[in-house]
Amino acid sequence: DGGITQSPKYLFRKEGQNVTLSCEQNLNHDAMYWYRQDPGQGLRLIYYSQIVNDFQKGDIAEGYSVSREKKESFPLTVTSAQKNPTAFYLCASSIGLAGAYNEQFFGPGTRLTVL
Amino acid sequence: GENVEQHPSTLSVQEGDSAVIKCTYSDSASNYFPWYKQELGKRPQLIIDIRSNVGEKKDQRIAVTLNKTAKHFSLHITETQPEDSAVYFCAASDSWGKLQFGAGTQVVVTP
């Protein structure tokens, strides 16, 4: 389970506020991902990054932003433009992306609630 | 893009019986199919995976089968135990190597 951490574990946000979720890994992985999980649904990809200073939109990127300034870190900002942000957010990392065959390791998650 | 469908959404089994979860995928270029187990409030953890050049893989009480022609793969859990109760997700890689997840199966093992 070690190697990839997320903080905080629980986060409460008022409507109209931006919040940033932290994700750090010490696995020396090149690829990192952000997923959103809602009850009864699978994991949906928000953003992913294959290398430092590069990232791509996933299936549900609207209302979110990311940065990848360091290999170890991939923070996710939930902006006020995200209409329904209450969810469980999972960060993951893998050795690489291209060619698949890459096991993704997940962080413990952040549960975001909009008040 | 890739689309993964997973059935059933819930599965109740008696302890000791077998459980089977099925997934179908749409992208014929998919070549990696992992299965994750997620306990309540915890992170998903890989339990088994299979690559497209293999038809079946087994690890103790867990097995996965892959039919590339039909584009479906299945998870089989034998001799189920209460600790097998969790949500199970299948996934398939798309042509870029990103994973597309199924909606999950809630497995409940009753003593």
Side-chain angles (χ1 to χ4, degrees):
Chain A
D1 285 359
I4 181 163
T5 58
Q6 291 183 241
S7 62
K9 187 173 182 179
Y10 299 97
L11 186 57
F12 298 91
R13 187 194 95 171
K14 293 182 180 179
E15 284 194 28
Q17 285 182 336
N18 292 355
V19 289
T20 297
L21 283 59
S22 169
C23 177
E24 304 276 334
Q25 54 97 3
N26 62 3
L27 301 169
N28 200 32
H29 285 172
D30 284 319
M32 297 187 74
Y33 316 78
W34 274 105
Y35 293 93
R36 170 180 172 139
Q37 186 174 30
D38 295 284
Q41 297 192 39
L43 283 66
R44 293 184 290 167
L45 184 64
I46 305 173
Y47 268 97
Y48 65 101
S49 168
Q50 299 181 65
I51 198 168
V52 173
N53 293 323
D54 184 59
F55 48 83
Q56 284 79 40
K57 293 181 179 179
D59 299 323
I60 56 165
E62 185 175 352
Y64 300 97
S65 65
V66 293
S67 62
R68 186 85 186 276
E69 297 176 1
K70 298 187 299 182
K71 187 175 186 178
E72 302 79 20
S73 179
F74 191 41
L76 173 74
T77 297
V78 184
T79 75
S80 57
Q82 170 49 235
K83 298 304 179 189
N84 185 20
T86 294
F88 188 49
Y89 290 87
L90 286 159
C91 178
S93 70
S94 62
I95 294 173
L97 178 64
Y101 292 13
N102 291 314
E103 178 183 352
Q104 289 189 17
F105 294 83
F106 285 86
T110 292
R111 189 165 298 280
L112 173 64
T113 302
V114 174
L115 303 174
Chain B
E2 175 68 277
N3 182 48
V4 177
E5 294 193 358
Q6 182 172 347
H7 299 280
S9 56
T10 59
L11 181 59
S12 290
V13 295
Q14 290 281 339
E15 183 178 358
D17 288 348
S18 295
V20 180
I21 304 170
K22 298 182 179 181
C23 290
T24 61
Y25 62 98
S26 59
D27 187 351
S28 56
S30 292
N31 57 9
Y32 176 59
F33 307 90
W35 286 87
Y36 284 84
K37 175 183 180 182
Q38 186 179 29
E39 297 177 1
L40 188 63
K42 300 286 183 65
R43 72 186 84 191
Q45 293 196 306
L46 180 75
I47 55 171
I48 196 167
D49 57 15
I50 192 167
R51 283 84 192 261
S52 59
N53 58 346
V54 176
E56 184 173 357
K57 184 177 178 181
K58 201 171 182 180
D59 183 4
Q60 298 183 354
R61 296 186 297 108
I62 294 174
V64 58
T65 59
L66 171 65
N67 184 327
K68 286 205 71 180
T69 303
K71 287 192 252 179
H72 66 71
F73 55 113
S74 301
L75 178 71
H76 304 252
I77 306 173
T78 59
E79 301 172 21
T80 53
Q81 301 168 4
E83 52 264 38
D84 294 329
S85 295
V87 178
Y88 292 80
F89 293 98
C90 64
S93 64
D94 67 12
S95 51
W96 294 99
K98 305 191 309 297
L99 292 181
Q100 192 74 28
F101 285 82
T105 297
Q106 174 75 62
V107 174
V108 178
V109 180
T110 53

